[in-house]
Amino acid sequence: MSEVGIKDTNSMELTVQEAELYDRQIRLWGLESQKRIRAARILICGINGLGAEISKNIILAGVKSVTFLDHNVVSEADRCSQFLVPVSTLGQNRAEASLTRAQALNPMVELKADKDVVSEKPDEFFTSFDVVIVIGAPRREMIRINNACRMKGVKFFGTDVWGMFGYCFADLQEHQFIEDVFKHKIISKEQDKVKTELVAVPTKKTLLFPPLQDVFEFDCRKREYLKTVKRKGFALMMFMILHRFREEQKRDPCFKKAPEDQAILLQYRDELASGIIPDSAFTHLYSQISPAAAIVGGVVGQEVIKSVSQKEAPHHNLFFFDPERGDGYIETIGI
């Protein structure tokens, strides 16, 4: 159902207002890609600071609809990075409180707030969307939703930010896309000295993505992987440690319990990767910090738009923002 919704855009036409609003994007990635974007239905589970950043980028791109799913209320912690909720909405449902400012970004996008708990939603609920983005959920819940999405060809993204550390996982299953491949074209006449120019040739490609469960089952202690850590970084191990903390402690690290939580995190670190991750990596993992949310949210928004537009190669399959390195990088796990 969702695959048809994105791909079958031959009969879809943009209105004059849409063509004017999205003129720059149409020039950038083409009319057909913009039509696919305009047909996409997006679900965002968790409208915290990261969810707000992702929402902004997707809404501005001009998708068909965005649904905010969040049972939480606006808290003091949201002031660190959640710019869609006014100060006056403290204590109100976070999805509903985000609607007014989100709608102002692009009145042409249909917005909806859902106050239900994500874990209480049946598998069938997620299959009515083209893209599902899950933020802040335990790994078992993320795996359940990812598996439900795979059954119906729905594209899935799992993402999060802890303090200054963040990641994005993508499962696009069998994903086809168009990428410009640059080749040299002969422009000289036959009797003249050979001259060439570099031209972009649109080329159809396919990538296969594994499910999220394969990533969580990956053994970070393998010798082959450990050889790459010094060159790439240890963000995948941080990802495993933080999800283990959420799963076993039923919450995220909290600045009010920083000494206690850091001791637990260091214990997990020693069990998984003793001597590899420095203690300093666990000092900035509390709340969601605006700069990190903006960086990861920008990447997620970009990847969602690439996936529905079928334009350009997507990240395959994990993006990490590592404050210890001060940059982001891609890991391909479970392929």
Side-chain angles (χ1 to χ4, degrees):
M1 176 179 177
S2 63
E3 285 292 312
V4 173
I6 292 177
K7 293 180 180 178
D8 186 16
T9 57
N10 291 332
S11 61
M12 180 181 179
E13 295 296 336
L14 299 183
T15 65
V16 174
Q17 292 83 358
E18 289 171 337
E20 291 177 352
L21 180 61
Y22 306 129
D23 177 69
R24 181 175 178 274
Q25 295 173 189
I26 292 171
R27 293 173 185 271
L28 180 63
W29 50 56
L31 180 59
E32 289 306 311
S33 292
Q34 185 63 44
K35 284 183 178 181
R36 293 189 188 100
I37 294 170
R38 193 69 185 96
R41 298 155 297 178
I42 314 295
L43 172 67
I44 304 177
C45 307
I47 310 301
N48 50 19
L50 176 58
E53 290 285 354
I54 296 170
S55 302
K56 173 196 69 177
N57 296 321
I58 292 174
I59 291 169
L60 289 173
V63 297
K64 177 180 176 60
S65 66
V66 177
T67 298
F68 296 159
L69 174 60
D70 197 331
H71 71 282
N72 294 294
V73 299
V74 179
S75 66
E76 291 287 347
D78 287 317
R79 295 183 180 181
C80 295
S81 56
Q82 221 291 23
F83 55 82
L84 291 179
V85 293
V87 176
S88 60
T89 61
L90 191 68
Q92 297 179 23
N93 175 264
R94 196 160 57 182
E96 290 185 332
S98 300
L99 283 180
T100 301
R101 288 183 175 178
Q103 191 69 78
L105 294 170
N106 190 342
M108 295 186 185
V109 176
E110 301 169 18
L111 296 185
K112 178 184 177 181
D114 189 325
K115 299 191 294 183
D116 290 348
V117 180
V118 64
S119 61
E120 296 177 358
K121 290 289 192 182
D123 291 356
E124 295 75 19
F125 169 77
F126 302 99
T127 62
S128 62
F129 299 92
D130 298 303
V131 178
V132 171
I133 305 165
V134 180
I135 306 166
R139 59 188 177 191
R140 290 182 183 177
E141 187 62 23
M142 292 176 67
I143 290 171
R144 175 184 79 89
I145 297 171
N146 180 214
N147 290 340
C149 289
R150 288 182 69 86
M151 292 292 292
K152 296 295 182 178
V154 177
K155 300 180 188 302
F156 174 89
F157 291 84
T159 181
D160 225 323
V161 167
W162 289 269
M164 291 297 293
F165 175 85
Y167 82 93
C168 168
F169 164 81
D171 178 10
L172 310 183
Q173 294 126 64
E174 183 176 341
H175 180 63
Q176 295 182 341
F177 59 97
I178 301 296
E179 184 177 36
D180 287 338
V181 175
F182 289 90
K183 298 181 178 180
H184 286 279
K185 178 183 177 182
I186 298 176
I187 59 173
S188 58
K189 295 181 180 179
E190 187 175 345
Q191 67 273 17
D192 296 338
K193 183 178 179 181
V194 176
K195 293 182 180 179
T196 64
E197 66 177 5
L198 206 57
V199 296
V201 180
T203 305
K204 189 173 183 179
K205 296 186 176 182
T206 301
L207 281 176
L208 298 178
F209 288 73
L212 181 60
Q213 185 167 350
D214 288 5
V215 173
F216 280 120
E217 291 177 352
F218 181 80
D219 187 358
C220 295
R221 292 167 289 193
K222 287 183 177 180
R223 179 179 297 179
E224 296 79 8
Y225 175 74
L226 291 175
K227 289 179 180 179
T228 69
V229 170
K230 187 174 182 179
R231 173 173 52 87
K232 283 188 172 182
F234 47 74
L236 178 63
M237 295 178 174
M238 291 289 293
F239 164 86
M240 297 292 193
I241 291 168
L242 286 162
H243 270 289
R244 179 182 174 186
F245 185 101
R246 176 179 290 168
E247 193 79 15
E248 296 184 0
Q249 305 301 320
K250 310 299 181 186
R251 60 179 178 84
D252 285 339
C254 174
F255 69 92
K256 293 181 179 179
K257 299 182 178 180
E260 172 189 338
D261 288 354
Q262 187 163 359
I264 296 172
L265 289 166
L266 291 175
Q267 176 189 335
Y268 293 164
R269 185 272 313 268
D270 292 341
E271 293 175 6
L272 177 66
S274 180
I276 296 177
I277 307 176
D279 292 1
S280 60
F282 298 93
T283 57
H284 303 291
L285 298 175
Y286 309 103
S287 189
Q288 291 203 341
I289 310 301
S290 288
I295 292 169
V296 178
V299 171
V300 177
Q302 167 189 277
E303 292 305 299
V304 170
I305 296 306
K306 285 197 294 185
S307 72
V308 298
S309 68
Q310 300 172 2
K311 185 75 172 178
E312 303 301 333
H315 291 336
H316 194 214
N317 53 350
L318 278 160
F319 166 83
F320 290 111
F321 177 67
D322 182 0
E324 288 288 305
R325 291 164 47 105
D327 65 8
Y329 66 96
I330 309 300
E331 284 269 22
T332 301
I333 301 296
I335 305 299

